Amino acid sequence: MNWLLRLYPRAWRERYEEEMLGLLEQHKVTPVTVVDLLVGALDANLNYNGIAEGVTYMADRLRTGIVMIFCAFMLFGVGWSMLQRLTDPLNQFNAIATSHPEFRVLFDADFIAGCLSFLAFLIGGLPVFFISVRRAIKHKQKNVLMPFGVALSCLVISVIATAVLADWHHIAYALTHIYVFLGGYAVLLALMLTIGTVAVSLMITRTDFQLSELKFVFYPEVVILFCMGVAVVMSTILIIAITAYAPQLFNTQDVGSPMFITGLFCMALGTIFAWMGLKRGQSKGLTS
Amino acid sequence: MRQSELGRFSDASFLILSSLANGQKHGYAMMEDILAFSGTQLEPGTLYGAITRLEKKGWIEALPMKERRRPYRITIEGVTALRKQVATLEQVTSVGKKRLASLEGF
């Protein structure tokens, strides 16, 4: 019966030939069987593209989901970073946390959840990023290497800007125009973060990943989303508790409550987008 | 259930879904089961034509192969599709019965 199965398309045979041969060994082959297989071969040649199409479809969905979660995590990270200023000045926070220990518990839980989600982000994201870069270098894919260069430049500029900020005491302009200096740093960092995020998203979108390379990111994605959700819940309770019992904590050295509300909003929005990204990547069979 | 996408395999697909509704089975076990409960002898070409379509639609899913046999199982979507088709057939059967009753005497 092998010759009959050779009439089926290669993609079909790669998927079904072995099990079909196993079945034919048990089945009594009659002229009806031969005709049926001939009709089946014709049908497969006309209509079968299922598995190749399915794998590509799944890889595309998973890749889009990864990009969505990446962007969502960046948004979440911005919001989470804003909320870390709640302990500034630390003396004030510690004094209030003595009478309201739940503040410290909530803040620490938010901090730990954020760190764990970042760890999961690195575990899941770095291999995908390196595969993208390695493949782009190997195949000289300019449309991937260019955004990689842009992302790298953004990282370098951000590091230099942060180093300059850390040394602000020795910069004459910063001493006289501290808010302009800080504002400029914040704007530059936001710009670099946005450009870098778009560049990395383009890299991932333009890389031809194999499904097997992307499947393993599902579990880090679940951890990321779970931790993001926990952080949002903890932060919400913390903000409500502070509003009710210690609103003075909102007035830090240089920012007020709008920044913390914005931070919480970014975290919540990021978590919703990440959930959408995870749902998008959950094509049938990806997690099995 | 969009029958048009299943084409000439719609009957075979219904039989396969019905067969898998009581547990996972490989191709030959499906053929034997279908023969037992419906009296229909599905040939391998027809069986696998229907399996490819059902798998593509996500109504059944393949499990890891064991000794040249690949078991398949019905998915949640497959159960939903089977329920709809059974409901349709029950409606048709009901109408058929009523109309046959009115033909008593022939």
Side-chain angles (χ1 to χ4, degrees), chain A residues 267-281:
Chain A
M267 285 172 71
L269 208 59
T271 306
I272 292 168
F273 285 153
W275 180 77
M276 288 164 70
L278 190 72
K279 292 293 287 180
R280 182 164 181 78

Side-chain angles (χ1 to χ4, degrees), chain A residues 8 12 15-16 18-28 30 32-33 36-37 39-40 43 47-51 53 284, chain B residues 8-9 26-28 31 41-49 51-53 55-56 58 61-62 65 68-70 72 75 77:
Chain A
Y8 281 79
W12 189 95
R15 170 64 181 81
Y16 295 105
E18 200 178 345
E19 57 185 287
M20 175 73 109
L21 284 171
L23 185 150
L24 287 169
E25 280 175 7
Q26 295 177 285
H27 183 67
K28 187 184 174 188
T30 63
V32 175
T33 309
D36 185 65
L37 285 172
V39 175
D43 169 67
N47 298 311
Y48 183 77
N49 59 0
I51 295 306
E53 182 186 275
K284 182 153 284 300
Chain B
R8 74 184 181 91
F9 296 98
H26 55 77
Y28 187 70
M31 286 168 64
Q41 174 68 68
L42 278 187
E43 290 294 336
T46 306
L47 178 78
Y48 271 88
I51 283 176
T52 54
R53 282 166 170 79
E55 205 180 358
K56 191 174 174 184
E61 62 187 353
M65 197 176 243
R68 304 187 83 188
R69 292 173 176 183
R70 187 185 295 282
Y72 291 87
T75 63
E77 293 83 358

Side-chain angles (χ1 to χ4, degrees), chain A residues 52-246:
Chain A
E53 182 186 275
V55 169
T56 309
Y57 172 74
M58 284 193 285
D60 281 348
R61 278 186 75 93
L62 199 46
R63 183 171 49 191
T64 315
I66 288 170
V67 170
M68 283 176 74
I69 291 174
F70 170 69
C71 295
F73 187 77
M74 290 293 123
L75 185 63
F76 169 87
V78 169
W80 182 82
S81 305
M82 287 178 178
L83 257 72
Q84 299 314 301
R85 295 292 307 279
L86 274 171
T87 56
D88 180 24
L90 192 58
N91 292 342
Q92 184 181 321
F93 183 82
N94 285 339
I96 294 170
T98 310
S99 54
H100 292 283
E102 68 274 16
F103 283 14
R104 186 174 299 286
V105 172
L106 288 166
F107 183 82
D108 288 349
D110 174 47
F111 181 77
I112 291 167
C115 290
L116 284 177
S117 66
F118 182 63
L119 188 67
F121 173 77
L122 290 180
I123 291 170
L126 281 179
V128 172
F129 182 77
F130 285 128
I131 288 169
S132 174
V133 175
R134 195 180 60 193
R135 195 153 294 160
I137 292 170
K138 188 179 175 184
H139 300 293
K140 294 175 182 169
Q141 274 183 280
K142 283 184 182 172
N143 65 346
V144 177
L145 289 172
M146 273 182 63
F148 172 64
V150 171
L152 201 62
S153 306
C154 289
L155 182 68
V156 171
I157 292 169
S158 301
V159 169
I160 292 171
T162 306
V164 170
L165 181 77
D167 198 36
W168 70 277
H169 291 97
H170 298 102
I171 299 169
Y173 181 80
L175 289 170
T176 52
H177 302 83
I178 183 65
Y179 285 109
V180 176
F181 189 72
L182 285 174
Y185 170 76
V187 170
L188 179 70
L189 214 62
L191 199 64
M192 292 299 107
L193 190 68
T194 307
I195 295 172
T197 303
V198 172
V200 173
S201 300
L202 284 175
M203 282 177 66
I204 296 168
T205 307
R206 291 170 179 174
T207 303
D208 289 325
F209 290 102
Q210 290 169 9
L211 187 61
S212 57
E213 294 168 337
L214 297 179
K215 281 176 82 170
F216 73 95
V217 299
F218 175 74
Y219 298 104
E221 281 178 352
V222 171
V223 175
I224 291 170
L225 186 59
F226 176 75
C227 291
M228 286 166 83
V230 169
V232 168
V233 172
M234 295 299 154
S235 302
T236 307
I237 298 171
L238 181 61
I239 294 289
I240 292 169
I242 289 175
T243 308
Y245 301 112

